[in-house]
Amino acid sequence: MRRFLLPVAILVLIFGFWLSPDVQQIAAGVAIFLFGMLMLEDGFKMFSGGSLERVLEHATRSTARALTFGILSTTLMQSSSLVSVITISFLSAGLVTLVGAIGIIFGANIGTTTGAWLVAGLGLKVNIAAYAMPMLAISIVLVLQSSRYARGIGYALAGLGFLFLGIHYIKIGFDSFSEQIDLTRFALTGFVGLAVYTLIGAVATVIMQSSHATLLLILAGLAAGQISYDNALALAIGANIGTTITAILGSLTSNFQGKRLALAHLVFNTATAAVALVFIVPLRIAVDWVSASVGIADTDYALKLAVFHTIFNLLGVALMLPLMGRLISFLQRSIPEPVLDRSQPKYLSQAVDEFPPTIEAALRKEVKHLYDNAAELIAHGLNLSRNEVFASHDMEATVRLSRHRYDFDFDERYEQRVKTLHNAIVQFSTRIGPKNLPAPVTDRIYGLREAAGQIVRALKAVKHLRGNMIAHTARPNGAITNLYNGLRVDMGRILAEIHRLDLLEPEDRSSLWLDDETVHVEDAARSTASMVDQMIRADELSASDATSFLNDSGYSYAAMRDLISAARALYIQQDEAVAEIEKLLALDDEDVGAVLDIQSAHKSGIMPSAMQPAPPPRSGA
């Protein structure tokens, strides 16, 4: 579609330039306006932070809140198309629910009316370029600053300045154009006029990818007397239909949820437009009544068009909100959820690529998806049921009774459920290099990629020890069985604790238990060799079994370390005040070593010199 639109747009511009030099000024004004919208978009992207998940959770907790969020975000960004694409990105990344996303889209349609009021009430009646110049001058100073937030403000201010400048040039262009050509000669009345100009409004919006730009042209033409009021109403209705094209194109690279939202946007805007066309006469009467009530002159068609735009968008929301349940059911029937393929990414798509919060959130969810697949394979590789491990209150008893062998091809299961996902995670995280993301976001993304690698390494370690573990735990075989069961207990406990961590709310998660587990694992790893030596001397263990167990315990403890480290990257948030406290309390490698030395000293009855009490002072001192 975009390949088709490009030559059409160029041909239309060339024809317009040939028709009148003033068209060049109008086209330049539109270009400046759209450039301003792009700068606004870049500015707001720079304000994206790690707290967006919590903001969205609260903002979309109810339909009313989602509606308000859509209104406010569109008012700030001055682009309902941009809000639609961002919402598709949020939905694809799992940051919002489908109901919340639809609420945002409804709000965006109301928020887009603020652009019409801005142009009709200010842009066409005031020398708006006088405000644009100082905005642009100040913005360049801010853009050159090192602070990301200062640059974001600068880009947003520059975008607003270019919006004002574009409005100014379009207004001047139409004023000059009206002196040469009278476009009202092409005005159409009745049903034909409604149909033709609705189609024109939709096509113009599809080409420019912005209903704001279309409304700006309509309002400027209306103020210059180049468009009749009736035809302007139809053009505004058409612009509402055409604005859905951006969401549709954005959904092509999204998952099924993103496609559902794009369809919801199309259904909502088309239904609203159809109601407006059918009830165009009552709506005109309502516009005249509201305009007279607020003091708008009967001949001020630009402001009356803004009133109409607001009324018919509010009407659409009022009609569709009670039908939200039926709309959701229709979307689910029309675009069913695909059969879950655990080997394929669920959250990674091009739709989440453009915004830092969705990049990080989608990657975090995908690494969790990878962990879920790997955890099941790890448990089965140890002859354990993952569900029984998660529900266990006595891990030793659970492990002792778990002797059933899970017969499956480990390599095949790894290729199907883990390797493909890991490759997708690595490829996705590598794409962030040129995106100029905030340093903390980039660090967390690379941390998640490392966590995915640690999960895979843990799984491969289990593969190496699986053969001996199965051989020695399928039936009781004395000391060697107890040793291998001890490894299974430790691994099962870590899997269960990570599962409990996943069930907690983010604000309730703590890294302190991870430190406890780290100390336990390192203590067990250090004491394994001496314990095995004692068992060999006591003839409880053969040298052959001891060698196999020492190798396998090395694999096991390496897997435990990797799983604990991956859990820290996945679940422990470092952007809250409590995280700062935990950072002070957290143990680094030296701290772990010190704790283990103290534990060893206590076991042997000797206190390390650093911990021994000072000798009493000598007499006479």
Side-chain angles (χ1 to χ4, degrees):
M1 181 174 288
R2 289 183 176 179
R3 290 197 299 268
F4 169 75
L5 292 177
L6 179 60
V8 170
I10 293 175
L11 288 174
V12 169
L13 285 174
I14 292 174
F15 175 75
F17 296 159
W18 172 80
L19 186 67
S20 170
D22 295 313
V23 174
Q24 298 179 27
Q25 193 164 32
I26 297 173
V30 173
I32 293 170
F33 184 87
L34 293 174
F35 181 71
M37 292 181 63
L38 291 175
M39 294 203 74
L40 267 176
E41 175 184 340
D42 289 339
F44 282 111
K45 279 183 183 179
M46 290 191 174
F47 291 102
S48 301
S51 61
L52 187 64
E53 287 184 63
R54 292 184 293 277
V55 172
L56 286 173
E57 181 185 359
H58 291 293
T60 59
R61 190 166 290 175
S62 66
T63 304
R65 288 187 178 187
L67 197 67
T68 303
F69 182 81
I71 294 171
L72 293 177
S73 58
T74 307
T75 300
L76 287 172
M77 297 183 188
Q78 284 298 295
S79 173
S80 60
S81 298
L82 173 60
V83 171
S84 301
V85 171
I86 292 175
T87 306
I88 287 174
S89 180
F90 290 162
L91 182 61
S92 298
L95 287 174
V96 295
T97 63
L98 181 60
V99 173
I102 292 175
I104 293 175
I105 293 297
F106 286 2
N109 269 46
I110 297 174
T112 195
T113 63
T114 59
W117 284 102
L118 175 66
V119 176
L122 184 63
L124 300 179
K125 298 181 179 180
V126 178
N127 182 16
I128 204 167
Y131 298 96
M133 300 306 177
M135 286 182 179
L136 294 173
I138 295 172
S139 68
I140 193 63
V141 175
L142 293 172
V143 168
L144 295 176
Q145 301 305 305
S146 58
S147 169
R148 182 178 181 85
Y149 294 107
R151 295 204 312 274
I153 294 172
Y155 278 116
L157 191 61
L160 198 57
F162 280 120
L163 288 182
F164 285 1
L165 205 58
I167 293 171
H168 172 74
Y169 279 113
I170 291 174
K171 177 179 178 295
I172 292 176
F174 265 107
D175 289 342
S176 302
F177 188 74
S178 62
E179 297 174 1
Q180 302 175 28
I181 300 176
D182 182 12
L183 291 179
T184 56
R185 293 178 302 164
F186 303 102
L188 298 172
T189 59
F191 176 78
V192 174
L194 279 175
V196 170
Y197 276 88
T198 298
L199 180 61
I200 292 173
V203 171
T205 306
V206 167
I207 292 173
M208 290 187 287
Q209 301 271 301
S210 170
S211 61
H212 271 63
T214 305
L215 279 172
L216 173 56
L217 287 174
I218 297 168
L219 288 164
L222 190 59
Q226 289 290 299
I227 303 174
S228 70
Y229 179 53
D230 288 342
N231 292 159
L233 298 182
L235 287 168
I237 295 172
N240 229 44
I241 300 174
T243 194
T244 60
I245 188 63
T246 307
I248 293 171
L249 293 175
S251 71
L252 296 180
T253 56
S254 68
N255 60 15
F256 71 99
Q257 289 283 55
K259 291 178 173 61
R260 284 176 176 176
L261 183 60
L263 179 58
H265 194 196
L266 178 64
V267 169
F268 170 66
N269 283 37
T270 304
T272 302
V275 170
L277 288 172
V278 171
F279 296 99
I280 189 69
V281 174
L283 283 175
R284 280 196 59 175
I285 296 172
V287 168
D288 291 340
W289 180 81
V290 171
S291 299
S293 300
V294 298
I296 297 175
D298 192 49
T299 56
D300 193 344
Y301 294 115
L303 277 177
K304 289 176 72 173
L305 179 61
V307 173
F308 171 79
H309 194 233
T310 302
I311 289 176
F312 97 80
N313 274 293
L314 286 172
L315 177 63
V317 171
L319 290 174
M320 293 299 294
L321 273 179
L323 302 176
M324 178 76 84
R326 294 186 179 182
L327 177 61
I328 296 293
S329 299
F330 167 75
L331 297 174
Q332 292 172 341
R333 289 195 307 271
S334 302
I335 305 177
E337 182 175 358
V339 177
L340 180 62
D341 184 351
R342 296 176 65 179
S343 68
Q344 296 301 316
K346 292 172 62 177
Y347 304 99
L348 304 184
S349 66
Q350 292 182 16
V352 304
D353 259 15
E354 294 300 321
F355 308 100
T358 54
I359 290 174
E360 182 182 351
L363 185 60
R364 188 176 299 278
K365 287 177 178 291
E366 204 62 69
V367 176
K368 288 180 182 178
H369 179 203
L370 173 72
Y371 172 76
D372 287 341
N373 287 358
E376 181 182 43
L377 195 50
I378 288 172
H380 289 177
L382 300 175
N383 280 0
L384 296 173
S385 164
R386 186 173 57 165
N387 292 334
E388 290 178 3
V389 166
F390 291 166
S392 175
H393 297 290
D394 184 349
M395 193 62 66
E396 292 185 2
T398 300
V399 167
R400 191 168 55 252
L401 295 173
S402 298
R403 298 174 184 171
H404 169 72
R405 174 172 178 166
Y406 287 85
D407 288 319
F408 62 95
D409 188 324
F410 199 100
D411 290 328
E412 181 182 354
R413 191 79 62 85
Y414 166 76
E415 291 285 338
Q416 290 177 347
R417 297 190 178 182
V418 175
K419 186 176 181 179
T420 303
L421 268 182
H422 186 222
N423 290 342
I425 288 169
V426 171
Q427 183 180 12
F428 180 83
S429 58
T430 303
R431 292 206 303 264
I432 73 165
K435 292 187 179 297
N436 191 29
L437 300 179
V441 175
T442 302
D443 291 343
R444 288 195 295 270
I445 287 173
Y446 285 140
L448 288 170
R449 184 175 70 179
E450 175 61 21
Q454 290 166 335
I455 292 168
V456 171
R457 287 199 299 271
L459 184 59
K460 290 182 176 179
V462 171
K463 173 191 171 183
H464 287 302
L465 62 89
R466 182 171 184 253
N468 287 333
M469 184 165 288
I470 291 174
H472 293 300
T473 60
R475 61 183 61 85
N477 192 22
I480 189 64
T481 298
N482 294 335
L483 287 174
Y484 275 102
N485 277 344
L487 296 180
R488 295 166 76 206
V489 168
D490 287 341
M491 189 75 80
R493 188 182 62 254
I494 289 174
L495 292 176
E497 290 297 334
I498 293 176
H499 176 65
R500 294 188 188 100
L501 199 62
D502 182 55
L503 297 178
L504 291 174
E505 294 296 327
E507 60 271 16
D508 295 329
R509 293 169 183 159
S510 171
S511 67
L512 299 181
W513 80 266
L514 294 173
D515 296 325
D516 292 339
E517 286 296 330
T518 301
V519 170
H520 176 82
V521 168
E522 297 304 330
D523 184 33
R526 287 190 180 190
S527 62
T528 295
S530 60
M531 178 179 61
V532 169
D533 286 345
Q534 294 174 6
M535 296 178 74
I536 292 175
R537 286 194 293 267
D539 289 332
E540 296 176 0
L541 197 65
S542 69
S544 174
D545 286 345
T547 302
S548 297
F549 176 74
L550 287 174
N551 287 333
D552 291 338
S553 66
Y555 287 127
S556 180
Y557 293 129
M560 294 179 203
R561 293 186 190 101
D562 280 330
L563 289 176
I564 291 171
S565 183
R568 193 183 300 275
L570 271 175
Y571 295 108
I572 305 303
Q573 301 296 325
Q574 297 296 334
D575 58 345
E576 299 178 8
V578 67
E580 293 299 321
I581 298 173
E582 289 189 356
K583 188 175 181 181
L584 296 174
L585 298 175
L587 301 177
D588 58 22
D589 292 340
E590 293 182 1
D591 295 331
V592 171
V595 171
L596 293 176
D597 288 340
I598 293 171
Q599 290 181 347
S600 299
H602 279 297
K603 290 176 181 178
S604 61
I606 302 174
M607 186 174 293
S609 58
M611 298 295 293
Q612 290 179 4
R618 291 176 296 176
S619 60

